[in-house]
Amino acid sequence: MATTLNAKKRETKQHSELKKLRDLGNIPGVIYGYKTENKSIFVSGIDFLKVIKEVGRNGVISLNVDGDKQNVVLSEFQEDSLKKELLHIDFKAVDLSAEMEADVKVELVGDSLGVKDGGVLQQAVHELTVSAKPNDIPDVIQVNVSSLQVGDTLTVSEIRNTFSYQIMQEDELTIASILAPRQEEEISTGEEQEPGMPDNVEGRETSPEGE
C-alpha cells in the first residue's frame, strides 16, 4: 500500500502567491500523467520530505488532492542551489500495472581486488535507466565491484541479468573500471585523457517551464 501525501489545489500561478506558499513551508507543484488532467497543487514541505524518506526517490506515493487519490511518482524537481530548498515539484500519475522508465542512481559496493593492489576505482556511470512496473523500480542500483582487478572494466552486459528489471542502456556501456596508478595520475593532470562525459552526471533536477 502506497504512502499517502496530502496536497491542495492552487488557483494562481502569480509569483507573489508562490512566494507566500513557500514562506509558509509549502512547495508548489503540478500533477500530470495517467488518467489525469494537469493540476497545479502544493504540499507541505515537511510532509513531503517525510514521505520521500520513507518511500525513496522512485517510490510510489498516493497523492491525495482534496480527497481525490492518485498513484504518483516524483518526476522532476527544482531546487534553490544556495539555500538547498525545494522550489517546485512535478508528480507523474502512473498505472501500477504498466511498465515505465526511470533513471536510477548507481552505487558501487565492495572492496575490489584491484584497489587492494594499488589500483584506482573509477566510476564512469552514475545513473542507469530502467524499465519496470512502478512498484518494482529501485531507489538505487548496487553494483558489486569486489572481483575487479587492475585493468578490469565492468559493463552493463555483466550486470544485466542480475536484476529483475530491464536496464535500457547498451551492453557495451562501461560502469566502472580499475585504473593503474599511472593512468590515474595522467587523468588527474590532464595528460592523455580521452574526451567524455563528466563523472558526476546524476539527478533529474530540471526547472519546469512555468509554475
Side-chain angles (χ1 to χ4, degrees):
M1 185 175 179
T3 300
T4 298
L5 173 65
N6 292 319
K8 292 185 178 296
K9 292 181 182 179
R10 53 186 174 92
E11 304 300 333
T12 178
K13 297 181 181 179
Q14 295 181 0
H15 180 75
S16 59
E17 291 300 319
L18 295 176
K19 184 179 184 302
K20 185 182 297 184
L21 282 175
R22 294 183 181 115
D23 289 344
L24 292 173
N26 298 306
I27 308 172
V30 296
I31 177 175
Y32 67 95
Y34 179 70
K35 289 187 176 181
T36 185
E37 296 181 357
N38 289 13
K39 298 176 186 176
S40 296
I41 61 170
F42 68 91
V43 299
S44 160
I46 292 176
D47 290 347
F48 172 77
L49 292 176
K50 285 181 180 178
V51 168
I52 292 300
K53 184 176 181 180
E54 180 178 340
V55 306
R57 172 64 177 83
N58 294 316
V60 177
I61 301 167
S62 177
L63 191 66
N64 181 8
V65 184
D66 295 328
D68 180 19
K69 290 188 176 182
Q70 292 171 295
N71 292 310
V72 303
V73 294
L74 174 60
S75 175
E76 298 175 349
F77 60 89
Q78 180 185 0
E79 182 181 41
D80 185 316
S81 58
L82 295 178
K83 297 181 180 179
K84 298 299 180 182
E85 295 177 353
L86 288 172
L87 300 176
H88 192 275
I89 307 170
D90 285 7
F91 294 101
K92 181 179 180 180
V94 295
D95 177 1
L96 297 184
S97 65
E99 291 195 353
M100 60 173 287
E101 292 187 4
D103 296 330
V104 182
K105 180 180 178 181
V106 174
E107 178 182 309
L108 304 183
V109 297
D111 298 322
S112 69
L113 297 174
V115 171
K116 293 178 181 177
D117 289 336
V120 178
L121 176 63
Q122 183 181 54
Q123 184 170 353
V125 170
H126 290 264
E127 276 190 344
L128 289 172
T129 303
V130 307
S131 177
K133 293 180 180 179
N135 281 321
D136 295 330
I137 293 177
D139 196 46
V140 65
I141 298 174
Q142 291 191 329
V143 178
N144 195 316
V145 297
S146 59
S147 63
L148 294 185
Q149 302 197 39
V150 173
D152 284 351
T153 296
L154 183 70
T155 64
V156 167
S157 65
E158 296 171 79
I159 69 166
R160 186 178 296 283
N161 297 325
T162 305
F163 308 106
S164 59
Y165 42 82
Q166 181 181 0
I167 297 175
M168 305 307 293
Q169 277 80 0
E170 297 294 329
D171 284 347
E172 298 77 17
L173 181 66
T174 296
I175 297 173
S177 55
I178 304 294
L179 303 178
R182 176 57 184 167
Q183 287 178 283
E184 172 66 14
E185 181 181 339
E186 290 171 349
I187 289 178
S188 298
T189 59
E191 298 175 15
E192 299 183 20
Q193 184 174 357
E194 295 294 329
M197 294 293 290
D199 284 346
N200 188 22
V201 182
E202 59 178 315
R204 290 178 286 184
E205 302 177 32
T206 60
S207 300
E209 297 182 1
E211 294 182 327

